[in-house]
Amino acid sequence: SFVLAVKSKILGKIIGGMYSKLSSYGFSTGLEFTYAIQEGVAINSKIVLGDRDVDVTLSRLSDAISATDLNAVDFSTLDKELASEIDMGDMDSKDLDKSQISDLIETMKQRDNVTKLMKQLRNQMPKVYEALVQERDEYMAKGINGEDSSQVM
């Protein structure tokens, strides 16, 4: 519907703004996909673009956020678990410098921290988790399972 399309576009603009901010600090978002494609081409592997359309994900995410009581979400639990690993000083999130953002990104990329984040997301915002992670995982698995996995990158 028109309303869902508008909500999807607004959410896309917000996320795009976040990526622009990261780019302004010199971070190359999406570089892992470029490297994956280059490696796939180098070994003559079939490249499968397995993620679903971003507009579908954004629409589902918008619906999930609308259906989630954000006031009931306890963000402090995850903050406490990760705070000891990130030197944020006394900075407000809007005042982070490049070094702090880099530390935060590197910390969040560690497998244990990704697991913690996903567990928190699944427990505290199940509809958001479903839209961002579960549905996309299922979509990608169906796409990959339909291919000869020995030749798929």
Side-chain angles (χ1 to χ4, degrees):
S1 81
F2 176 74
V3 174
L4 289 178
V6 170
K7 287 167 50 176
S8 172
K9 294 293 181 195
I10 291 170
L11 194 54
K13 292 276 187 195
I14 292 168
I15 292 170
M18 179 187 71
Y19 282 121
S20 292
K21 180 76 168 174
L22 288 172
S23 292
S24 75
Y25 280 123
F27 296 99
S28 299
T29 56
L31 200 53
E32 66 275 16
F33 296 110
T34 301
Y35 290 142
I37 290 169
Q38 289 171 347
E39 289 300 313
V41 169
I43 63 172
N44 294 320
S45 184
K46 181 176 183 178
I47 308 295
V48 175
L49 304 176
D51 205 348
R52 73 177 173 191
D53 185 281
V54 68
D55 288 331
V56 173
T57 298
L58 290 175
S59 176
R60 293 287 299 129
L61 179 59
S62 179
D63 292 345
I65 290 170
S66 295
T68 299
D69 180 4
L70 296 177
N71 293 322
V73 176
D74 180 12
F75 293 102
S76 67
T77 306
L78 184 62
D79 291 344
K80 289 175 189 169
E81 288 184 37
L82 297 179
S84 63
E85 300 183 43
I86 305 170
D87 179 19
M88 300 302 278
D90 294 327
M91 300 298 253
D92 188 309
S93 63
K94 65 183 175 210
D95 297 325
L96 297 178
D97 64 26
K98 182 178 178 178
S99 173
Q100 290 169 314
I101 291 172
S102 180
D103 289 347
L104 176 63
I105 290 170
E106 290 307 312
T107 299
M108 292 309 302
K109 286 174 21 182
Q110 295 171 11
R111 183 179 302 273
D112 289 346
N113 293 331
V114 171
T115 301
K116 289 175 189 176
L117 179 62
M118 291 300 104
K119 182 179 178 186
Q120 287 290 79
L121 187 61
R122 186 175 52 244
N123 290 340
Q124 295 201 36
M125 296 184 280
K127 291 182 185 307
V128 172
Y129 176 85
E130 186 176 313
L132 274 181
V133 180
Q134 183 179 336
E135 291 175 3
R136 291 177 63 218
D137 284 354
E138 291 169 2
Y139 183 93
M140 287 185 267
K142 286 177 187 173
I144 292 170
N145 286 337
E147 300 293 332
D148 175 6
S149 62
S150 67
Q151 294 296 312
V152 173
M153 180 73 162

